[in-house]
Amino acid sequence: GAVVSQHPSWVICKSGTSVKIECRSLDFQATTMFWYRQFPKQSLMLMATSNEGSKATYEQGVEKDKFLINHASLTLSTLTVTSAHPEDSSFYICSAPGLAGGTSQETQYFGPGTRLLVL
Amino acid sequence: DAKTTQPPSMDCAEGRAANLPCNHSTISGNEYVYWYRQIHSQGAQYIIHGLKNNETNEMASLIITEDRKSSTLILPHATLRDTAVYYCIVSYGKLTFGQGTILTVHP
């Protein structure tokens, strides 16, 4: 299946700093990517849809000025957590749509996630 | 997206088949049934998906009832590495994750 990578895999930062997380589709192109956040013992929550060449679409309740998304190319989307605070500590996961193996149907392929700890 | 209902947890003995049920009584005609899993502290992994017909791949089988209101994911020979949270999602486009089923495979 398709491979999606994320960098960094974990990051610790001081409160008030900004953190950038990269999501790359390694062997396919993605005009759309998705960003999720997951708190401990909770499910994945969709934050926003990243669109190559246009603005991201944010889910209700997600601050677009807080979580800046840039879809710079067909294989790269970045999520920047601006002025991070301890409550932003979470597991951030991206996904990109690709063809399910041996079919012509699309499914989502997920990155390994980035664990953010804000002190 | 339609909502799904899954049991919060299930156990399975290693080597036996694991059958994970999912109810999606409000599924609409163009929505697919997807199954993903998340092993602890990792990203989600695609398992299988289907629309109407039963599907099988190298990982699992998906059985969808004729009325499409429920489905079952079957892991034919569960191993310890299959211990994970399994998510059943019905969608045409964006994925909305519920709480999933915690499957524990024990020796």
Side-chain angles (χ1 to χ4, degrees):
Chain A
V3 178
V4 175
S5 70
Q6 282 184 242
H7 178 79
S9 55
W10 60 271
V11 57
I12 302 173
C13 70
K14 292 181 179 180
S15 185
T17 61
S18 294
V19 175
K20 184 163 75 174
I21 302 169
E22 294 184 347
C23 176
R24 293 181 185 273
S25 55
L26 294 186
D27 50 359
F28 65 104
Q29 295 181 335
T31 57
T32 302
M33 292 184 178
F34 299 91
W35 287 96
Y36 296 81
R37 180 169 53 181
Q38 185 176 33
F39 292 108
K41 298 191 177 183
Q42 294 187 23
S43 187
L44 286 75
M45 184 188 76
L46 180 65
M47 298 174 65
T49 303
S50 173
N51 303 299
E52 191 270 337
S54 64
K55 291 182 179 180
T57 307
Y58 291 82
E59 297 299 303
Q60 191 173 8
V62 178
E63 300 174 58
K64 61 180 180 180
D65 295 329
K66 173 77 172 174
F67 299 99
L68 300 180
I69 291 173
N70 181 27
H71 202 128
S73 72
L74 289 172
T75 59
L76 173 63
S77 173
T78 59
L79 168 70
T80 301
V81 183
T82 62
S83 186
H85 291 286
E87 58 265 30
D88 298 322
S89 298
S90 188
F91 191 47
Y92 292 86
I93 307 170
C94 70
S95 73
L99 295 180
T103 78
S104 60
Q105 296 164 2
E106 249 184 21
T107 185
Q108 293 290 330
Y109 289 94
F110 287 80
T114 296
R115 196 162 298 281
L116 171 63
L117 176 61
V118 184
L119 302 177
Chain B
D1 291 346
K3 292 184 177 179
T4 61
T5 304
Q6 298 178 251
S9 64
M10 293 183 66
D11 286 342
C12 178
E14 188 177 20
R16 303 298 292 271
N19 298 285
L20 290 87
C22 180
N23 288 324
H24 31 79
S25 58
T26 59
I27 189 171
S28 59
N30 63 347
E31 289 182 314
Y32 285 79
V33 179
Y34 292 90
W35 282 85
Y36 288 82
R37 72 181 182 184
Q38 186 178 28
I39 297 172
H40 182 62
S41 296
Q42 296 182 26
Q45 179 187 22
Y46 165 78
I47 301 173
I48 198 168
H49 76 289
L51 183 63
K52 295 180 183 178
N53 300 321
N54 298 337
E55 302 287 345
T56 296
N57 63 20
E58 63 279 3
M59 289 183 68
S61 295
L62 173 60
I63 308 298
I64 303 174
T65 58
E66 194 169 339
D67 63 7
R68 302 212 321 130
K69 293 185 177 183
S70 66
S71 61
T72 301
L73 176 74
I74 301 172
L75 306 178
H77 305 287
T79 70
L80 299 179
R81 288 178 294 181
D82 291 322
T83 293
V85 181
Y86 287 77
Y87 297 98
C88 168
I89 302 168
V90 292
S91 173
Y92 187 77
K94 293 190 297 187
L95 300 179
T96 301
F97 286 78
Q99 294 306 306
T101 296
I102 301 172
L103 174 69
T104 303
V105 181
H106 52 84

